[in-house]
């Protein structure tokens, strides 16, 4: 559970999350933790991935990746096509 405090209003909001990753985790490590969700997509399940943080902390890098290190979207799509190929 993550607690966010609004300093102006002193209101707190609680968010329940399944995973929180530190900034030193590599994209392949993060996807390794989330890859089981890919099979769920094939089975018709929905999921949402939220990348939250300050500006310039690597959110886009993690989701989209680069030419050198692929991001979560590419890895997920790659796995979906591999699963569908095996199902043929």
């Amino acid at each position: 559970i993550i607690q966010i405090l609004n300093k102006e209003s002193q209101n707190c909001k609680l968010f329940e999350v399944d995973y929180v990753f530190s900034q030193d985790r590599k994209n392949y490590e993060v996807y390794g933790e989330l890859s089981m969700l890919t099979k769920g997509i094939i089975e018709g399940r929905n999921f949402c991935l939220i990348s939250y943080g300050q500006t310039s902390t690597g959110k886009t890098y993690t989701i989209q990746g680069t030419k050198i290190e692929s991001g979560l979207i590419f890895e997920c799509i790659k796995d979906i096509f591999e699963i569908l190929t095996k199902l043929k």
Side-chain angles (χ1 to χ4, degrees):
I1 295 181
I2 297 174
Q3 179 177 345
I4 307 289
L5 171 66
N6 182 323
K7 290 182 182 180
E8 292 178 13
S9 67
Q10 294 299 308
N11 290 331
C12 281
K13 292 196 178 205
L14 298 176
F15 299 91
E16 186 173 340
V17 298
D18 294 313
Y19 298 95
V20 175
F21 299 101
S22 65
Q23 64 186 10
D24 61 337
R25 299 288 296 269
K26 300 289 185 190
N27 288 354
Y28 70 88
E29 294 173 319
V30 174
Y31 187 72
E33 295 285 331
L34 303 175
S35 61
M36 75 286 202
L37 298 173
T38 303
K39 185 176 181 189
I41 293 170
I42 300 295
E43 295 170 349
R45 294 191 184 118
N46 296 320
F47 78 94
C48 178
L49 175 65
I50 297 173
S51 182
Y52 179 81
Q54 292 179 311
T55 301
S56 297
T57 57
K59 299 175 297 294
T60 302
Y61 174 83
T62 300
I63 300 297
Q64 293 181 353
T66 65
K67 291 179 182 179
I68 297 169
E69 184 177 9
S70 57
L72 302 183
I73 292 172
F74 176 82
E75 292 298 327
C76 182
I77 292 170
K78 183 178 77 172
D79 281 357
I80 288 171
F81 279 105
E82 286 178 7
I83 292 168
L84 292 175
T85 300
K86 290 177 185 177
L87 292 175
K88 285 186 177 182

